[in-house]
Amino acid sequence: MSEDIIVSLPSLIHRIGREEVKQAKAIARQYHCELKRVRRSRNWSLSGGAISIQSYSAGLKTQGLKMENAGGFGYLMQKIDTGLLDHTDKLEPLEAKLARLLTDNPNITLAELIHITDCTTAEARQARFYADSW
């Protein structure tokens, strides 16, 4: 869950413009993400934690609303949201994921919980205890 993810952004400057990329790069630093070119190609990539990238996307949306040319960030926001779809498991905290699995299927075993969420036995038991006490 603490692993960095990489979102590919092909031909970014050609699609949104150099000034918008500079602004997006500055905003990315605020959210502890890195927007950079892939070697010497025209392709760019965004790397960072899944939750940081999700916060960055939300920050771009608010920045786009403040700016008059919000269409520049539209491509970037769409690519980030598409890239995050592959990493939805990293966006949800472990406790929330365990609670959701237990409410969806109350008959799930501890072994299945551990296998699905890659948590410890103690975390699975604690989640089961809290789910039973509701």
Side-chain angles (χ1 to χ4, degrees):
M1 194 154 159
S2 62
E3 301 171 4
D4 283 354
I5 62 171
I6 297 173
V7 177
S8 177
L9 303 165
S11 304
L12 185 63
I13 287 184
H14 297 286
R15 298 194 189 246
I16 69 171
R18 186 171 305 277
E19 290 302 316
E20 284 81 5
V21 169
K22 286 181 183 178
Q23 292 172 351
K25 206 172 181 182
I27 296 169
R29 276 189 239 115
Q30 294 173 357
Y31 290 97
H32 307 291
C33 298
E34 186 176 26
L35 181 64
K36 64 179 182 177
R37 278 180 61 186
V38 177
R39 294 181 290 282
R40 294 175 55 122
S41 70
R42 64 182 180 178
N43 299 327
W44 288 68
S45 69
L46 177 67
S47 61
I51 295 174
S52 298
I53 290 178
Q54 186 180 34
S55 300
Y56 172 62
S57 177
L60 278 177
K61 288 175 185 161
T62 59
Q63 289 290 332
L65 292 175
K66 292 178 186 176
M67 301 174 67
E68 58 276 354
N69 61 347
F73 289 134
Y75 169 77
L76 181 59
M77 291 183 287
Q78 184 261 332
K79 289 299 273 186
I80 291 171
D81 292 341
T82 304
L84 284 175
L85 290 177
D86 296 336
H87 303 283
T88 54
D89 59 323
K90 296 176 184 172
L91 295 174
E92 188 177 26
L94 181 62
E95 294 82 19
K97 189 177 201 178
L98 288 168
R100 179 179 50 82
L101 288 171
L102 285 168
T103 55
D104 290 347
N105 184 7
N107 295 329
I108 193 168
T109 65
L110 287 179
E112 290 172 337
L113 269 178
I114 293 168
H115 178 71
I116 292 171
T117 61
D118 197 31
C119 67
T120 64
T121 306
E123 291 169 333
R125 285 182 180 163
Q126 187 176 18
R128 169 75 71 188
F129 175 75
Y130 288 134
D132 288 341
S133 65
W134 290 344

